[in-house]
Amino acid sequence: MKISVIQMRVRRTKEESIREVARKGRKATRLGADVVVLPEMFSCPYETSNFPVYAEGADGETVKRLSEIAGENRIYLIGGSIPERDENGNLYNTSFVFDREGKLLTRHRKVHLFDIAIQGGQSFKESDTLSPGSSATVFPTEFGPMGLCICFDIRFPELFREMEERGALAVFCPAAFNRTTGPRHWELLFRARAVDYQLFTIGAAPAADEGAPYISYGHSIIVSPWGEVLSQAGEEECILMKDLDFSEVEAVRRQIPLSPPVW
C-alpha cells in the first residue's frame, strides 16, 4: 500500500484549505498513492474559540468535498480532522475516512481531549468547547484493517491495544503537536506505539505557521513495526510518500510474539 501524508498549513479560509487539499490530492494520486492522509484540523486554525465557528455536521460542505476528492482520485482519504457538530449541538474533533469511490467508511471522534498546562510552555484546553468520543476506530480496506486515532489519543496505549486486537495493521494519527511537546515526545510516541503493538504508525501534522497563535511542530512521520522511522518531515509544507509492506507486521509478530499468555 502506498501512502501519502500531506503536511500543509491551514489557509486563510476554509475554502482555500479545501482547494489546497484537492490540489495536493491530485499530485499524490499522480505519484501513485493508494491512501492520502491529512493533518488534524487541516482547515480550522487550532484555537478553541475557532472550533464552534468552523464546525459542520457530517452532511456539511467539507465532508462532501472530501468525499468528492476521494472518488475523483480513486484513493482512500483520511480526512485529517475537522470540528464536527452533531444533531444535539455537541462539538467533536472528528476524522472522516472515505474509500476509493468517495463513500464514507468511518469517522473517529477524538477520545482523549488535549487539556494540558506545561509549566513555562504550552497551555490548551480542548474541553472548553469539545466533547470526547467514546470508542476505538478500525476500518476495512483492500489491504486489511486499519486503525485511526487523533493526536492526544496516541498517549493512551489501551486505545491501541483495542485497535490491534481488532486486526489493525497500521494506525493513522492526524495530529498537531506543538514546539513544547513535539521535540520531546512526537517521535518517541509514534515509535513506542509501533513497537508496543507491532504495526505501522503514521502521523500527519500541519506545517508550521509562524503567524498562527498555535504553531504546529510538523514532523509528519511514518514508522515501521520494528520501530524504525521510515520517513519524517521537517516543519515545512511537503508530501511524504512510502510503500508499506504488511508482511512485515506478520513477520514481527511471529518473531517476537507479544500475545498475552494464558495463565
Side-chain angles (χ1 to χ4, degrees), residues 16-201:
E16 288 178 90
S17 292
I18 294 171
R19 284 203 300 266
E20 186 64 14
V21 168
R23 189 181 72 80
K24 284 182 162 62
R26 288 192 294 271
K27 181 176 181 180
T29 301
R30 290 195 298 271
L31 294 172
D34 296 299
V35 178
V36 173
V37 194
L38 305 180
E40 182 181 22
M41 293 292 177
F42 73 91
S43 62
C44 172
Y46 194 63
E47 292 181 277
T48 55
S49 60
N50 284 327
F51 298 155
V53 177
Y54 281 74
E56 302 179 32
D59 58 352
E61 183 63 21
T62 298
V63 173
K64 178 183 175 183
R65 293 288 298 281
L66 293 178
S67 169
E68 291 171 352
I69 292 167
E72 289 167 2
N73 292 286
R74 306 294 295 176
I75 54 172
Y76 291 94
L77 179 60
I78 297 169
S81 76
I82 65 169
E84 178 207 3
R85 179 180 285 109
D86 73 6
E87 60 276 7
N88 297 315
N90 299 310
L91 301 183
Y92 300 92
N93 185 342
T94 303
S95 182
F96 294 87
V97 179
F98 307 87
D99 68 12
R100 293 185 188 270
E101 296 179 351
K103 177 183 176 182
L104 181 64
L105 274 177
T106 193
R107 66 179 162 192
H108 176 74
R109 289 171 170 168
K110 188 174 186 176
V111 175
H112 303 94
L113 298 182
F114 185 52
D115 286 5
I116 59 105
I118 306 298
Q119 186 173 355
Q122 187 74 41
S123 295
F124 207 88
K125 195 173 183 183
E126 281 189 323
S127 65
D128 281 345
T129 53
L130 299 179
S131 298
S134 58
S135 61
T137 301
V138 175
F139 60 93
T141 73
E142 67 208 65
F143 307 98
M146 303 293 155
L148 177 63
C149 67
I150 299 174
C151 201
F152 205 54
D153 284 338
I154 199 170
R155 292 182 181 270
F156 298 84
E158 64 273 16
L159 193 69
F160 275 70
R161 168 61 70 191
E162 183 170 344
M163 289 187 280
E164 184 267 336
E165 288 178 347
R166 290 166 57 184
L169 303 174
V171 173
F172 296 91
C173 183
F177 276 40
N178 55 66
R179 287 175 173 171
T180 301
T181 57
R184 295 167 174 82
H185 300 155
W186 175 264
E187 181 179 316
L188 174 66
L189 284 165
F190 279 90
R191 295 183 69 187
R193 295 294 88 81
V195 171
D196 287 345
Y197 299 104
Q198 300 174 311
L199 40 67
F200 290 94
T201 56

Side-chain angles (χ1 to χ4, degrees), residues 220-236:
S220 293
I221 192 169
I222 303 168
V223 179
S224 81
W226 287 105
E228 176 188 4
V229 176
L230 302 177
S231 186
Q232 185 169 185
E235 292 190 335
E236 72 287 346

